[in-house]
Amino acid sequence: PRHPCPTPIVTPMASIALAPGFEPLPSANPSGPPTDTSRWVCVYPPFLAASKTLAEGRRVPAAVAVPAPGPHAIEIFETCRLLKFPAEVDMRKCHPRDNFMRGRVRVKLFQDGEGKVPVREDVTSRKELFMLIAKHIPKFRELHAAKQNAIAVSSVQGKAQAKAEAKEKAKGKKGKR
């Protein structure tokens, strides 16, 4: 059966809501016509999940795979951004063997043009790309958690300061009611 919406929604990296503190990378084609991503490498979350078996679609060794909770497509996307790979995420797609882990990330592994010139010289194959992303997702989670904690601490401090200022204002009005 066909999906009710015939056109898939592809979210280019410039239009997705990113974690606070992350700067957007330049798009593969920021102001021109849409980039053809059909030749880019697809990375589905089950490719990197430690909870999946090889038969269920995991593509990296269990020792390198991302522990539970398995990786989310947005985490894969932001990790690719941190690794300086052009990427796009499509949340309407899912892996054929796992319909519950939504999302697909397309990553540009090779430059456009003649020959297979990699975007980064240290990553020359799909397997190396999967391994690199899987190794960096826990680092991304730590970085993201630290930034979230810093934001939470600053907002708590801001609320405490505002409360203290409100108390200070209220001191002068005690006997004037």
Side-chain angles (χ1 to χ4, degrees):
R2 289 182 50 105
H3 193 275
C5 181
T7 57
I9 296 176
V10 176
T11 308
M13 55 191 260
S15 66
I16 195 159
L18 302 174
F22 288 101
E23 317 82 37
L25 281 177
S27 175
N29 194 1
S31 61
T35 306
D36 178 28
T37 60
S38 64
R39 301 293 300 160
W40 291 13
V41 175
C42 290
V43 182
Y44 290 97
F47 285 5
L48 312 174
S51 61
K52 300 294 179 191
T53 64
L54 292 174
E56 292 172 332
R58 191 183 55 184
R59 299 280 177 99
V60 295
V64 180
V66 180
H72 191 270
I74 301 298
E75 287 179 324
I76 295 170
F77 171 73
E78 289 196 9
T79 302
C80 289
R81 288 183 54 252
L82 290 174
L83 296 171
K84 307 292 186 206
F85 281 104
E88 290 186 356
V89 65
D90 186 353
M91 294 306 294
R92 302 201 68 196
K93 299 291 184 179
C94 60
H95 190 269
R97 293 183 194 151
D98 187 359
N99 292 326
F100 298 109
M101 292 181 93
R102 302 293 296 181
R104 173 184 72 190
V105 180
R106 284 195 176 259
V107 183
K108 185 175 184 179
L109 184 58
F110 298 107
Q111 298 286 347
D112 297 331
E114 294 295 317
K116 282 195 165 189
V117 179
V119 171
R120 287 180 45 171
E121 283 108 28
D122 59 332
V123 181
T124 58
S125 69
R126 294 163 38 99
K127 187 81 163 181
E128 288 176 6
L129 176 68
F130 298 154
M131 297 280 286
L132 186 68
I133 293 171
K135 286 178 184 175
H136 281 82
I137 284 179
K139 294 175 188 174
F140 166 75
R141 286 179 177 173
E142 289 174 12
L143 178 66
H144 185 67
K147 287 189 184 232
Q148 290 293 356
N149 288 342
I151 290 169
V153 166
S154 67
S155 71
V156 167
Q157 288 174 345
K159 286 179 184 177
Q161 186 178 3
K163 196 173 189 179
E165 288 173 4
K167 232 182 202 182
E168 197 63 37
K169 270 187 176 178
K171 275 187 179 180
K173 296 182 179 182
K174 275 189 175 176
K176 297 182 180 181
R177 287 188 189 199

